[in-house]
Amino acid sequence: MKKILGRPESMQDVSTIYCPGCGHGIVHRLVCEVIDELGIREKTIAVAPVGCAVLAYQYWKFDTTEAAHGRPPAVATGIKRILPDRIVFTYQGDGDLAAIGTAETVHAANRGENITTIFVNNAVYGMTGGQMAPTTLIGQKTLTTPSGRDPKLAGYPIKISEALAQLDGTTYIERVAVNSPKNILKAKKAIKKAFQVQLENRGFSLVEVLSMCPTAWWVSPEEALKWVEERMLPEFPLGVIKDKVTSNK
Amino acid sequence: MAKRLMMGNEAIGEGAIQAGCRFYAGYPITPQNELTAYMAKRMPEVNGVFIQSESELAAISMLYGASLVGARTMTSSSSPGISLMQEGISYMAGAELPCVIANIQRGGPGLGNISGAQGDYFQATRGGGHGDYRTLVLAPHSVQEMFHLTREAFDLADRYRSPVIILGDGVLGQMMEPMEIQPPKASLAKGGDPESRIQDPAKKDWILDGCQGREPRSIKSLILGENSLEKHNERLAEKYKEMEKEIRYEAVEIEDAQAILVAFGTSARICKEAMHRARKEGLKVGLIRPITLFPFPKEIILENAPRIKGYLTVEMNLGQMVEDVRLAVSGRCPVHFYGRPAGGFPEVEIIIEKIKEILG
């Protein structure tokens, strides 16, 4: 019998702390599959975030460090500048990347650091129990927006990927989702491309992944898939936001 | 060896280069800007990395990254910028990552002013950031010392896998003095690959460099699980105890002294002048100049306490190191204090007056 699917070599054989229906497991797996396919596991150094993925170093079978909240792009900069032939990526949530670490994100991107960022956007702070994220939708109820996010008081869902695309230092930015098999396949393609951009020394690449957080959205895992489709996609449209590689060809 | 005239800030930079530092990240702030500019010019000449970071938060986090792959790393700043770096210093202490941080102190609190001051003694010697940790603190008092203590700091940082603070001030940073540039350490000159940015004399076996041929590693300060963080903290505390081997101080004419001045950095220079004049007047006064502020040279201070009439601690603040002197003395003799904060200099005449008061 031919084995067509198994655990990626880059994934540890352990169970995760993630809630039922959480998207992190899928995104972890896609990253690991891509690293396996590119044959770069032994030269990869990952930077894990503060947030639900804080324990990523327990799930990945490659060298991983753990940064302070918001600082992964600065940490990755230090790593990559010393070891330019290693593959360095950050794995960050919306609070890490687009709130507390906005400056580090913008400036690593603007310097065109040759690193890859996997940006998991689930519109909420999961680990701390469901507070407003910079990407929380208008009207979305969280612990810190109990009547729903009011833009007059709390601003608007930030489209950081579009903002980063304006910077001359960025090479490749795409937004994907992991709420359906079709979207998951597209997400994998984008993640692979982002790593290839780095392998070819083309500069800063980022994939924003819209992901589910049924626990902090107060919905079932199944409803969470629809929540992405019906509520997140109108605010955060999928697709390539910037691609200097293809447009230069 | 021929001497050359150098500025304190630049001497720190050259000391770092000679120690094999190949990664510097920093954010401009007065009065340490000459150091950042020196590294911008010097790093490319030795195949090193210079980054002007977007903030001090980012600078120290860049060091965290470069240090965890094995490079010798340095940043520098002045008081308000060092406050911002406390996040990263705490993380590096927790993750046991070596680095060197120069604080060319200015007046505070807040934005304060840009004059030399010693108001960050508590911050430097008590850990500074959150959590139960300490860092080694070295206090130069001349341009030559800024060079060679920085050169030493990298060895200490690696030996203890810990951040090391160079605690200078705006006066030392800005002053020019003749000094000797000692060559790179023999261990570096011999085996170092000039093309590599990792210039450590000893290969580090804990770094992340890709898991080829070994199990993956992680470097972090997150330590969960029952009692694990407690054990980790206790192990760190043992390391801080071990650092007492590194205690350094300069003792000047203390043998027959009846009053002893205690001062570090710029204050110690002023005290040397006061002591010189007081001795001419026949006053039996000596000086203990702590060079390591943590660990603090408490033994020498304790030893002399029972036989003298009193200590006079002189600082460019309103009384910080004096607490360590009092702890060391443990009530065995009076401990007096004279200090001026925020850019004020202790005056030689007042120091001599106070010595006379102690001697009665």
Side-chain angles (χ1 to χ4, degrees):
Chain A
M1 199 159 58
K2 195 180 158 203
K3 188 180 174 186
I4 55 160
L5 209 62
R7 180 180 294 277
E9 201 198 346
S10 290
M11 257 189 129
Q12 300 280 5
D13 188 4
V14 293
S15 45
T16 70
I17 53 153
Y18 300 126
C19 304
C22 169
H24 273 305
I26 301 170
V27 186
H28 282 12
R29 186 189 168 99
L30 294 182
V31 169
C32 288
E33 284 181 1
V34 163
I35 286 173
D36 282 2
E37 285 168 24
L38 295 171
I40 54 174
R41 186 181 74 86
E42 293 185 328
K43 55 188 274 194
T44 292
I45 303 172
V47 185
V50 169
C52 286
V54 73
L55 296 174
Y57 57 85
Q58 292 184 355
Y59 310 144
W60 292 333
K61 214 184 281 177
F62 36 77
D63 279 4
T64 304
T65 187
E66 168 62 49
H69 199 25
R71 317 294 169 237
V75 171
T77 297
I79 296 171
K80 187 74 180 186
R81 294 284 190 108
I82 294 296
L83 298 176
D85 62 343
R86 303 306 197 279
I87 303 305
V88 182
F89 79 93
T90 70
Y91 186 101
Q92 301 179 257
D94 35 50
D96 191 78
L97 182 133
I100 196 166
T102 312
E104 285 77 7
T105 303
V106 167
H107 289 278
N110 193 50
R111 286 190 303 267
E113 297 293 342
N114 191 33
I115 57 173
T116 300
T117 290
I118 307 300
F119 165 33
V120 179
N121 176 2
N122 59 14
V124 77
Y125 281 56
M127 191 176 70
T128 44
Q131 296 84 354
M132 180 185 74
T135 50
T136 288
L137 304 173
I138 300 296
Q140 185 183 335
K141 286 184 182 172
T142 71
L143 293 180
T144 49
T145 53
S147 320
R149 184 177 191 170
D150 176 356
K152 287 198 194 89
L153 300 172
Y156 296 86
I158 194 164
K159 293 182 188 67
I160 192 85
S161 293
E162 280 83 350
L164 293 172
Q166 300 302 313
L167 304 173
D168 291 339
T170 54
T171 301
Y172 170 69
I173 298 174
E174 180 165 352
R175 185 182 289 119
V176 297
V178 288
N179 66 325
S180 69
K182 191 178 134 203
N183 280 344
I184 290 171
L185 289 174
K186 282 188 186 163
K188 182 175 171 184
K189 231 178 115 189
I191 292 170
K192 192 165 188 174
K193 177 153 184 181
F195 276 94
Q196 276 165 334
V197 165
Q198 182 179 167
L199 277 161
E200 292 163 13
N201 293 315
R202 289 175 182 271
F204 187 83
S205 54
L206 179 145
V207 179
E208 177 177 341
V209 185
L210 304 184
S211 179
M212 297 74 69
C213 183
T215 305
W217 294 346
W218 317 104
V219 298
S220 72
E222 203 185 342
E223 285 168 321
L225 302 175
K226 276 190 231 151
W227 204 94
V228 171
E229 199 72 29
E230 290 165 9
R231 298 196 56 186
M232 286 188 89
L233 291 195
E235 188 66 37
F236 297 108
L238 302 184
V240 175
I241 298 167
K242 182 173 186 179
D243 184 355
K244 263 207 261 189
V245 178
T246 309
S247 60
N248 281 354
K249 272 181 187 167
Chain B
M1 188 179 275
K3 290 200 171 185
R4 61 186 272 196
L5 197 61
M6 224 171 167
M7 185 182 255
N9 281 333
E10 295 181 340
I12 289 180
E14 193 54 34
I17 300 279
Q18 299 299 341
C21 172
R22 292 296 178 269
F23 188 94
Y24 174 96
Y27 187 88
I29 183 169
T30 308
Q32 66 78 57
N33 289 315
E34 296 79 10
L35 177 47
T36 313
Y38 190 81
M39 295 313 248
K41 180 167 72 79
R42 226 25 205 106
M43 274 299 182
E45 292 172 3
V46 293
N47 187 41
V49 179
F50 169 85
I51 303 177
Q52 180 172 330
S53 60
E54 58 271 28
S55 70
E56 290 86 349
L57 281 166
I60 193 76
S61 291
M62 287 172 186
L63 261 62
Y64 182 102
S67 177
L68 71 86
V69 297
R72 289 193 148 184
T73 62
M74 185 170 89
T75 185
S76 60
S77 188
S78 180
S79 310
I82 298 290
S83 291
L84 277 175
M85 286 183 191
Q86 294 304 329
E87 173 190 79
I89 298 173
S90 169
Y91 276 71
M92 291 184 87
E96 296 187 85
L97 291 173
C99 70
V100 175
I101 300 145
N103 179 4
I104 306 302
Q105 295 169 91
R106 56 190 251 182
L111 206 46
N113 62 22
I114 57 167
S115 307
Q118 296 180 329
D120 303 348
Y121 179 92
F122 283 149
Q123 185 194 51
T125 57
R126 266 61 177 168
H130 64 282
D132 218 340
Y133 76 94
R134 299 292 180 104
T135 59
L136 256 158
V137 184
L138 302 174
H141 87 317
S142 67
V143 172
Q144 182 70 64
E145 244 183 7
M146 284 172 110
F147 174 86
H148 85 238
L149 286 180
T150 304
R151 193 163 161 271
E152 287 297 316
F154 286 88
D155 285 351
L156 294 170
D158 279 354
R159 189 174 309 150
Y160 295 100
R161 285 186 60 182
S162 166
V164 174
I165 312 278
I166 308 282
L167 194 67
D169 64 60
V171 180
L172 291 167
Q174 298 291 321
M175 77 166 46
M176 291 183 93
E177 282 182 323
M179 62 155 278
E180 234 174 60
I181 294 183
Q182 292 134 322
K185 301 225 152 201
S187 50
L188 283 170
K190 264 191 295 181
D193 168 8
E195 293 304 306
S196 173
R197 286 171 173 169
I198 299 175
Q199 290 277 313
D200 297 289
K203 174 104 179 96
K204 295 170 180 169
D205 59 5
W206 47 266
I207 60 166
L208 303 190
D209 56 355
C211 60
Q212 196 164 9
R214 60 164 171 80
E215 284 299 302
R217 292 189 193 123
S218 61
I219 287 182
K220 58 194 176 63
S221 61
L222 177 72
I223 296 164
L224 302 171
E226 211 184 331
N227 299 335
S228 344
L229 183 58
E230 185 177 4
K231 287 202 182 84
H232 177 68
N233 278 322
E234 284 167 357
R235 204 171 52 67
L236 291 180
E238 280 166 27
K239 191 165 83 171
Y240 304 142
K241 187 83 193 147
E242 209 185 309
M243 285 177 185
E244 289 182 5
K245 285 193 299 208
E246 313 299 340
I247 286 178
R248 289 168 206 199
Y249 59 85
E250 182 189 7
V252 193
E253 298 192 54
I254 59 169
E255 294 74 18
D256 66 340
Q258 287 299 299
I260 298 180
L261 303 169
V262 188
F264 70 98
T266 298
S267 306
R269 292 177 76 104
I270 298 168
C271 282
K272 279 184 174 177
E273 173 65 19
M275 206 188 92
H276 183 67
R277 285 202 219 165
R279 280 270 168 187
K280 274 189 182 163
E281 289 182 34
L283 301 171
K284 290 195 169 167
V285 59
L287 167 72
I288 295 173
R289 175 173 72 89
I291 297 172
T292 53
L293 300 182
F294 182 87
F296 190 70
K298 49 186 183 235
E299 288 296 325
I300 184 76
I301 288 170
L302 173 63
E303 263 170 39
N304 287 283
R307 60 161 197 85
I308 63 169
K309 289 191 175 162
Y311 279 110
L312 174 61
T313 306
V314 180
E315 301 179 63
M316 279 150 63
N317 58 46
L318 287 177
Q320 299 195 17
M321 185 178 71
V322 65
E323 293 194 3
D324 282 334
V325 177
R326 288 198 176 113
L327 282 170
V329 164
S330 297
R332 286 175 179 82
C333 77
V335 176
H336 305 270
F337 174 75
Y338 168 49
R340 289 188 64 193
F345 293 108
E347 289 170 40
V348 169
E349 290 70 24
I350 295 179
I351 296 171
I352 295 172
E353 253 171 56
K354 289 192 179 279
I355 292 169
K356 284 179 182 163
E357 278 167 29
I358 293 169
L359 294 175

